[in-house]
Amino acid sequence: MHDDTSGTSPLWRDPAFARGFRELGSASLGIGAWGLVTGVAMVKSGLGVPLSLAMTLLVFAGSAQLAALPLIVQGAPMWLVWATAACVNLRFVIFSAGWRPYFGHRPFWQKVAHAYLAGDLNYVLFVKAYPDPVPQSGQWPFFWGGAAVNWLAWQGFSVLGIVLAHHIPTEWGLGFAGTLALMGLTGTLLVDRATWVAGAVAACAALAAYALPLKLNIVVAIAAAVAIGLVMDHLAPAGRLLAQRKEL
């Protein structure tokens, strides 16, 4: 795979690839901890090692996996499993709209690979590095550098958790460690007033709806966060949004 803006050199030789790899590398331990917990959770929920390996390699969507697992274990209707996963991943619709000015011109198979590898932190760090939404040299290898460390950290520890799940005592409290890792990663996404307000509203909604069955409080929290985000985005002047984006 080559970057069409920088000749025919392999992506990994581009300095931007190393920069992307280095910048996301600082979060690799948190990503790995989350992957480890998810791997253990998949096996201990009864999914089995082969299906857990298939899920982590094919799905590659940590939060959606964790949201769907308890529903699958409880025998929830399939439509509810799909709806929950779709709600959890709804943010990627917004991310995709943000990626489009940068990579919308790329071949179909490259966009499919991008869709599979793109993560929350990839988007945050990319927009911070390239605030102007126009194609520039170095953007493609920068994305792949970050995507590589994100995929390796997640899949490496997730596979480790799947393989060692039956040898890891539940008393170790990995679930709590995973929650802390997830909170740390979430904290890096709170970059302006809109994201802080959306996060606070989601937390309050999740607690208020905690008594709902089948973890439906997650769906309620996501809907509340999206609603308040859309309202704030609609009310904020375009100039202020652009200024906030350049400050990331």
Side-chain angles (χ1 to χ4, degrees), residues 87-172:
C87 287
V88 172
N89 282 331
L90 197 59
R91 65 192 187 282
F92 283 98
V93 176
I94 300 173
F95 291 168
S96 296
W99 288 111
R100 182 177 175 77
Y102 302 97
F103 301 138
H105 63 286
R106 295 222 163 242
F108 176 75
W109 69 271
Q110 288 189 4
K111 288 188 282 190
V112 171
H114 175 275
Y116 170 73
L117 291 168
D120 301 86
L121 291 180
N122 293 121
Y123 182 77
V124 172
L125 293 178
F126 185 90
V127 173
K128 181 180 178 181
Y130 301 97
D132 296 325
V134 292
Q136 299 175 32
S137 176
Q139 290 175 344
W140 192 238
F142 180 88
F143 164 76
W144 275 90
V149 70
N150 186 44
W151 191 89
L152 289 172
W154 173 268
Q155 298 293 9
F157 280 91
S158 184
V159 170
L160 190 65
I162 291 170
V163 173
L164 300 179
H166 293 305
H167 303 284
I168 297 178
T170 54
E171 295 79 18
W172 285 12

Side-chain angles (χ1 to χ4, degrees), residues 19-31 125 145-146 149-150 153:
R19 188 159 62 95
F21 193 97
R22 192 167 53 247
E23 291 195 10
L24 201 69
S26 60
S28 59
L29 282 180
I31 296 170
L125 293 178
V149 70
N150 186 44

Side-chain angles (χ1 to χ4, degrees), residues 34-56:
W34 189 16
L36 180 69
V37 171
T38 303
V40 173
M42 284 191 290
V43 174
K44 292 205 171 185
S45 67
L47 207 57
V49 172
L51 280 179
S52 297
L53 288 172
M55 187 177 192
T56 192

Side-chain angles (χ1 to χ4, degrees), residues 222-242:
I222 293 170
V226 170
I228 192 65
L230 290 175
V231 170
M232 295 187 68
D233 189 41
H234 178 72
L235 296 178
R240 194 174 69 188
L241 286 178
L242 181 60

